[in-house]
Amino acid sequence: MATVTQRNLLDVDKLTISYRVEDQWIQAVRDFQLQLGRGHIIGLVGESGSGKSTVALALMRYLSRNGRVEKGSRLVFDGEDLLSKPNAEMRRLWAKRIKFVPQNAAAALNPSIKIGRQVTETLKAADGIDGHEAYERMIRMFHDVNLVDPERVAERYPHELSGGMQQRVTIAMALISNPELLILDEPTTGLDVTTEAVILDLVRRLIAERDTSVVYITHNLGVVAQLCERALVLYAGEIMEEASVLDLFQQPRHPYSLGLISSVPKPGQSKRAAPLQSIAGNPPSLTRIPSGCVFANRCPLVLDLCRERKPPLETLEDGRLVRCHRWSEMEAGMQPVSPILRPPSPSLWRASPEREKGRNALLDTTGEKERKKPLPLHGVAQAQTRRGGVWGGGNDNTLMRATDLSKHFPVERKVSEILGRLDPAPIRAVDGVDLRLRAGQTLGLVGESGSGKTTLARLIIGLEERSGGTLELLGMDVRNSVRDRSQDVLSKLQMVFQNPQNSLNPYLSVRQAIRRPLIKLRGFAPAEADAEALALLERVNLRAEYAERYPDELSGGEKQRVAIARAFASDPDLIICDEPVSALDVSVQSAVLNLLAELQDEHGSAYLFISHNLSVVGYLADAIAVMYLGQLFEVGEARELFQSPYHPYTEALVSAIPVPDPLHATERILLSDDLPSAQNLPSGCRFHTRCPRKIGEICETDKPPWRQGDAGHLIRCHIPLDELTNAQSGLVLTDETD
């Protein structure tokens, strides 16, 4: 009897996609192929511009009007040729059998229509059922995606939901009609690590229950390692490698795959051990695709053959695909290492005489060589409790000290409150934070969205006026608003924002953007400022030609490098970095992190580094502070954060890190998405409503004390540290090479 082979749900071959730009057709994806069985998950990874989203839209047959699939391409879904189907038939497939979840859930939801109506209309269009049945199925689906109080969610508008809840709604909309193919395009990129963990577990569970096939698009290799069965690596519109996730991460056969994997900071990995590997250079322009290998200009194994002849996409014995002339050498054990960008001559950097005087007065007289060593934590958060905050006594090279810092946003009163003469409680975004940062040190600030991290940063930089508390920089009292601060303070405090597109003036060239603080804050003459701007560009690894470009002519990584150069132009003592790498590809992220570490080592500036990516924070930071609902809950050395004991909230954050290792297994501690309001704060411990280790009524009624561990490690919790250690003994994430 012959064996019946189950056909693939999705079968793609020689898929070439072009876009019309002005009068020219440009091939964005070339000879793409993919086979996906029922109930399987494949990850599609690569840098921005590699063609991932273009492939997703082509699989949906939903390209923009200036896009087309070239002749000779094959796109088969469940035995049906999608390329020959008219739009009316495709709409029927989109309604029920093929669904898409976008990266930006807020943009995908109609802001003027309540959530319930949006979902039920989708369901009625797909299955032709009445309103009552559609509502009941929607409520069941909301329960399945762990939306708390689904009836209330259905009555809300999109802006009234958190990012995680919005993303769960879009997933519910996609899964409610039981689709056979689900395409997820970066669905967790902008989410907190705890919310991301919940979403990934949700996707994994629902797919297993419904036998849905999934194409998961992301640049987060940790997500691919923990969620997917196979991974396909795209670069400049071509497949570089496709393999099982285990094979890809254990022994990649393509230098680009290895470069991506090596670029990701691992939990516990630190700048003290070694810089991150990075991929030098940029992808080729789609208008000038090289005749040889598209990766040749960035490859550490490049040969003349690679530049002259395009490597074929070969199928190896283990079933993987690879496009490389030298894959057999990598299989034999060759380990190419991408170059790590090193700083140019220190003479390119010129610290101002005023800066040197201030620094010499502040730092120990141990010499320049000793100053560049990582500073010990002692004193960063010494054992002193003060109005719910933490700070250390003594001088100890203190650069910045925040004492009882608060920001309470008033809430407008409703008519009923006016009549009853009740003053509504304010929103306590930052509520009594004491913090100290030392010269040349990086303090990482982590926590979920809504914890108060960015508000705290805006208070320090002066973009928000504080409701209470004091702020000192180099022993000087810093005024509330940036408008009232002296030029000296403005030069010593700078900020690098998450989105450089919004922080760079689109009408100023790169040279003009960088030379402005040189003239305004350091008093340079225009000619001198121009020369210094070029030196700064070289320092952030950008060629002199970039000086005449405008922001819209730069990639995301290049824009962020310009923003960093501009921040360093005033020769600052403290730079606040608010999610500076969260929107960047892993290869660009590693280069920017290395750059920040190198500049700090050379220049001696301190960083307040804000991020929800704990691996990134752990790599760059000397100390880490964990924030929740406007207060600090843990402060300690960065390495301590990945070793128990830690606060139960920190424990949940650490357990949720998607580690780029398919063999890594950590007990997930999933938190509910029901974050309390900063206007109506819980009594006792603010975390008790979500805490998986709550020990009883004391957590609900009494404010927790600060408990001190080794090396100034402080935890705000009712549970004794030895009990926390015993409970958390199975959750330790460290880098053995550090």
Side-chain angles (χ1 to χ4, degrees), residues 575-646:
I575 298 178
I576 299 174
C577 303
D578 189 3
E579 299 276 11
V581 297
S582 63
L584 304 180
D585 296 318
V586 291
S587 57
V588 180
Q589 172 185 278
S590 64
V592 171
L593 290 176
N594 285 340
L595 173 63
L596 289 170
E598 291 164 2
L599 290 173
Q600 182 179 51
D601 184 56
E602 175 186 316
H603 190 55
S605 294
Y607 296 144
L608 177 62
F609 192 92
I610 301 170
S611 179
H612 64 258
N613 188 325
L614 271 72
S615 296
V616 167
V617 173
Y619 171 77
L620 194 63
D622 302 298
I624 293 179
V626 181
M627 199 168 184
Y628 182 77
L629 281 181
Q631 290 186 340
L632 299 183
F633 273 69
E634 182 167 4
V635 184
E637 288 186 357
R639 184 173 176 82
E640 294 289 329
L641 190 78
F642 298 99
Q643 301 182 36
S644 62
Y646 14 55

Side-chain angles (χ1 to χ4, degrees), residues 85-299:
K85 284 188 175 296
N87 289 337
E89 286 192 42
M90 286 305 305
R91 281 192 288 270
R92 285 192 287 271
L93 287 175
W94 296 333
K96 189 169 179 63
R97 301 180 66 191
I98 303 175
K99 291 290 186 175
F100 179 77
V101 177
Q103 175 178 351
N104 190 342
L109 296 170
N110 191 320
S112 62
I113 300 177
K114 290 182 178 180
I115 293 295
R117 181 181 167 191
Q118 294 190 53
V119 178
T120 53
E121 285 184 351
T122 300
L123 188 56
K124 286 188 287 186
D127 291 353
I129 58 179
D130 61 34
H132 177 74
E133 184 179 351
Y135 182 83
E136 293 298 321
R137 283 180 59 178
M138 176 193 67
I139 296 300
R140 289 196 298 271
M141 190 69 237
F142 281 1
H143 277 296
D144 287 345
V145 298
N146 299 326
L147 279 169
V148 179
D149 197 356
E151 291 83 2
R152 186 178 61 171
V153 171
E155 291 301 313
R156 291 183 175 182
Y157 290 94
H159 72 274
E160 297 178 293
L161 305 180
S162 68
M165 294 175 73
Q166 290 174 347
Q167 198 61 278
R168 292 184 208 194
V169 168
T170 60
I171 291 174
M173 292 176 70
L175 291 175
I176 198 167
S177 60
N178 294 314
E180 296 162 64
L181 175 63
L182 184 63
I183 300 173
L184 301 165
D185 189 4
E186 300 272 14
T188 62
T189 295
L191 302 181
D192 300 315
V193 65
T194 50
T195 306
E196 178 181 63
V198 172
I199 294 294
L200 294 180
D201 277 11
L202 167 68
V203 170
R204 188 183 293 109
R205 174 174 60 83
L206 293 177
I207 289 167
E209 292 173 355
R210 297 163 185 263
D211 202 33
T212 304
S213 302
V214 177
V215 177
Y216 195 100
I217 299 169
T218 184
H219 64 256
N220 189 327
L221 295 178
V223 169
V224 172
Q226 298 299 316
L227 179 69
C228 301
E229 299 159 316
R230 299 188 68 81
L232 192 153
V233 182
L234 268 180
Y235 178 78
E238 295 181 8
I239 294 175
M240 298 291 102
E241 187 167 5
E242 192 261 340
S244 72
V245 166
L246 187 61
D247 289 340
L248 183 71
F249 280 83
Q250 284 193 331
Q251 191 177 15
R253 297 285 190 269
H254 197 286
Y256 179 60
S257 304
L258 179 60
L260 289 179
I261 295 169
S262 302
S263 297
V264 183
K266 313 301 188 296
Q269 185 177 356
S270 170
K271 64 185 179 185
R272 299 183 188 92
L276 293 168
Q277 296 296 323
S278 59
I279 305 175
N282 297 296
S285 168
L286 293 178
T287 60
R288 296 187 299 274
I289 295 296
S291 57
C293 176
V294 292
F295 187 60
N297 69 321
R298 305 174 73 188
C299 182

Side-chain angles (χ1 to χ4, degrees), residues 467-489:
S467 304
T470 60
L471 182 66
E472 295 179 5
L473 181 69
L474 289 169
M476 302 180 296
D477 181 58
V478 177
R479 295 191 177 183
N480 215 339
S481 172
V482 68
R483 294 185 297 271
D484 301 326
R485 295 181 179 179
S486 67
Q487 183 170 309
D488 189 39
V489 170

Side-chain angles (χ1 to χ4, degrees), residues 7-11 38 76-82 97:
R7 71 183 179 196
N8 291 320
L9 177 69
L10 190 63
D11 197 343
R38 292 182 182 274
V76 176
F77 170 74
D78 195 21
E80 300 179 67
D81 180 14
L82 295 187
R97 301 180 66 191

Side-chain angles (χ1 to χ4, degrees), residues 341-656:
L341 299 178
R342 294 295 183 186
S345 170
S347 63
L348 288 173
W349 193 270
R350 296 180 295 169
S352 65
E354 295 80 10
R355 168 62 187 276
E356 290 300 328
K357 288 180 182 178
R359 185 161 54 190
N360 292 337
L362 187 67
L363 298 176
D364 294 335
T365 56
T366 52
E368 184 72 9
K369 183 176 181 181
E370 287 296 317
R371 184 185 65 77
K372 290 186 178 181
K373 290 183 178 180
L375 293 167
L377 175 67
H378 303 290
V380 174
Q382 286 288 5
Q384 186 170 10
T385 305
R386 177 182 176 87
R387 292 189 294 276
V390 182
W391 62 287
N395 189 20
D396 286 330
N397 298 338
T398 299
L399 172 67
M400 182 207 73
R401 188 193 304 273
T403 305
D404 201 23
L405 208 59
S406 300
K407 178 61 180 180
H408 299 167
F409 293 96
V411 177
E412 292 185 5
R413 294 192 294 174
K414 300 177 182 178
V415 173
S416 59
E417 293 170 334
I418 294 174
L419 294 176
R421 297 184 179 179
L422 298 175
D423 290 326
I427 296 173
R428 298 175 178 267
V430 176
D431 197 25
V433 169
D434 290 2
L435 203 60
R436 200 182 84 204
L437 182 60
R438 292 166 52 181
Q441 185 185 52
T442 298
L443 175 64
L445 188 62
V446 301
E448 296 170 289
S449 296
S451 62
K453 306 186 303 296
T454 296
T455 302
L456 178 58
R458 291 173 66 86
L459 291 177
I460 295 172
I461 203 69
L463 295 178
E464 292 283 357
E465 295 190 6
R466 52 187 180 267
S467 304
T470 60
L471 182 66
E472 295 179 5
L473 181 69
L474 289 169
M476 302 180 296
D477 181 58
V478 177
R479 295 191 177 183
N480 215 339
S481 172
V482 68
R483 294 185 297 271
D484 301 326
R485 295 181 179 179
S486 67
Q487 183 170 309
D488 189 39
V489 170
L490 292 175
S491 67
K492 295 179 184 300
L493 266 175
Q494 290 293 310
M495 189 163 183
V496 178
F497 295 89
Q498 176 177 358
N499 189 346
Q501 177 66 41
N502 294 337
S503 62
L504 294 175
N505 189 324
Y507 301 107
L508 294 182
S509 68
V510 168
R511 181 199 301 271
Q512 292 170 322
I514 297 176
R515 79 177 212 155
R516 184 178 178 85
L518 290 167
I519 295 174
K520 294 286 187 181
L521 300 178
R522 291 183 65 181
F524 279 31
E528 188 182 14
D530 285 341
E532 186 71 4
L534 293 178
L536 284 164
L537 280 180
E538 184 176 352
R539 187 60 197 87
V540 297
N541 300 304
L542 290 176
R543 298 185 301 275
E545 64 194 64
Y546 280 84
E548 307 310 322
R549 297 185 184 181
Y550 287 83
D552 63 354
E553 298 176 290
L554 306 176
S555 69
E558 290 166 349
K559 291 173 188 173
Q560 199 61 289
R561 288 171 185 269
V562 171
I564 292 170
R566 184 182 61 179
F568 271 95
S570 69
D571 198 26
D573 289 272
L574 172 60
I575 298 178
I576 299 174
C577 303
D578 189 3
E579 299 276 11
V581 297
S582 63
L584 304 180
D585 296 318
V586 291
S587 57
V588 180
Q589 172 185 278
S590 64
V592 171
L593 290 176
N594 285 340
L595 173 63
L596 289 170
E598 291 164 2
L599 290 173
Q600 182 179 51
D601 184 56
E602 175 186 316
H603 190 55
S605 294
Y607 296 144
L608 177 62
F609 192 92
I610 301 170
S611 179
H612 64 258
N613 188 325
L614 271 72
S615 296
V616 167
V617 173
Y619 171 77
L620 194 63
D622 302 298
I624 293 179
V626 181
M627 199 168 184
Y628 182 77
L629 281 181
Q631 290 186 340
L632 299 183
F633 273 69
E634 182 167 4
V635 184
E637 288 186 357
R639 184 173 176 82
E640 294 289 329
L641 190 78
F642 298 99
Q643 301 182 36
S644 62
Y646 14 55
H647 191 278
Y649 178 57
T650 310
E651 180 184 8
L653 295 178
V654 172
S655 76

